[in-house]
Amino acid sequence: AQSVSQHNHHVILSEAASLELGCNYSYGGTVNLFWYVQYPGQHLQLLLKYFSGDPLVKGIKGFEAEFIKSKFSFNLRKPSVQWSDTAEYFCAVIAYSSASKIIFGSGTRLSIRP
Amino acid sequence: GAGVSQSPRYKVAKRGQDVALRCDPISGHVSLFWYQQALGQGPEFLTYFQNEAQLDKSGLPSDRFFAERPEGSVSTLKIQRTQQEDSAVYLCASSFPAEEAFFGQGTRLTVV
């Protein structure tokens, strides 16, 4: 069965620090990949997505992610975080064999010190 | 409306009570998903509809859980004889097939 692993459960950074959140998935076939964000008290929102083409994708609010097929990874990055980036971040994958079922990782809580 | 709407936002149920959670997806979205999110965890897949057809219900934790989408639009997730372990946020999402999913605010169910 497909699965998504996010190894960082809680990350604490100071403002202006660089961010990288890890995401690995287990599926050998074609996938669509997503990062979602959940700000406190709000619903899940899409940050960015990868379907095909350039493996470096850019999303909203200065976030980007790189798809490395050989490593089954889709890490999220931001060069300089802001206090407003405090949120829960979820990596997700759709494997084409799974009737479009979206599988989520367990999430990474990001806390930014002002 | 413009987004996915879920009702009620909060539900407190006594153990053993039946509950029904409603989801209004984005108009025109073929795919509809239900997820269960426990505190501090990622959303766990429950079931998936394409139009009115329930294509995958492998995530439903027991036969007390039942979902339907009879006309391919609004969906209802029903939980019979609720137990304390059913306490969680229940998320609904809709999309076009294999595209990004748009989520509702969720229904927070507390079983006491």
Side-chain angles (χ1 to χ4, degrees):
Chain A
Q2 298 90 28
S3 66
V4 179
S5 297
Q6 293 182 246
H7 303 294
N8 310 108
H9 298 295
H10 188 193
V11 173
I12 303 173
L13 295 173
S14 297
E15 277 195 311
S18 65
L19 169 72
E20 181 160 2
L21 301 182
C23 172
N24 289 89
Y25 65 93
S26 64
Y27 182 69
T30 303
V31 293
N32 287 350
L33 296 159
F34 308 86
W35 276 96
Y36 281 85
V37 61
Q38 189 169 30
Y39 298 104
Q42 296 189 26
H43 61 282
L44 281 161
Q45 303 170 44
L46 184 73
L47 262 184
L48 47 77
K49 62 186 178 184
Y50 172 81
F51 286 1
S52 64
D54 188 345
L56 183 63
V57 292
K58 295 189 184 299
I60 61 171
K61 304 186 180 185
F63 286 91
E64 64 179 31
E66 184 175 14
F67 171 50
I68 303 179
K69 190 174 181 179
S70 61
K71 295 185 177 180
F72 300 92
S73 70
F74 190 55
N75 291 355
L76 181 71
R77 300 195 292 248
K78 185 171 183 178
S80 176
V81 294
Q82 300 172 308
W83 180 79
S84 58
D85 294 325
T86 296
E88 189 97 21
Y89 292 82
F90 296 94
C91 182
V93 62
I94 295 176
Y96 274 103
S97 68
S98 66
S100 300
K101 181 166 70 178
I102 306 173
I103 304 297
F104 284 84
S106 58
T108 297
R109 184 155 63 99
L110 177 63
S111 299
I112 305 298
R113 291 189 291 249
Chain B
V4 178
S5 177
Q6 291 187 247
S7 60
R9 287 290 312 279
Y10 304 93
K11 176 69 180 178
V12 178
K14 291 184 178 178
R15 196 162 59 118
Q17 185 180 352
D18 297 349
V19 299
L21 312 181
R22 178 188 168 100
C23 174
D24 280 90
I26 292 173
S27 179
H29 276 184
V30 170
S31 303
L32 186 144
F33 307 84
W34 283 99
Y35 288 84
Q36 182 190 60
Q37 187 175 20
L39 193 63
Q41 300 293 318
E44 294 284 342
F45 173 81
L46 293 177
T47 187
Y48 161 64
F49 290 86
Q50 188 164 312
N51 296 307
E52 69 279 1
Q54 189 173 22
L55 297 187
D56 190 333
K57 55 181 181 179
S58 62
L60 295 176
S62 78
D63 59 7
R64 296 186 294 104
F65 286 71
F66 172 75
E68 59 183 6
R69 193 187 186 196
E71 297 177 1
S73 177
V74 171
S75 177
T76 304
L77 176 67
K78 297 179 180 177
I79 309 174
Q80 297 176 324
R81 305 181 302 282
T82 51
Q83 304 293 318
Q84 280 196 317
E85 60 263 28
D86 300 336
S87 296
V89 176
Y90 290 85
L91 299 171
C92 177
S94 69
S95 75
F96 294 110
E99 297 275 335
E100 68 198 73
F102 293 82
F103 283 82
Q105 294 272 28
T107 294
R108 183 179 297 278
L109 173 65
T110 304
V111 181
V112 298

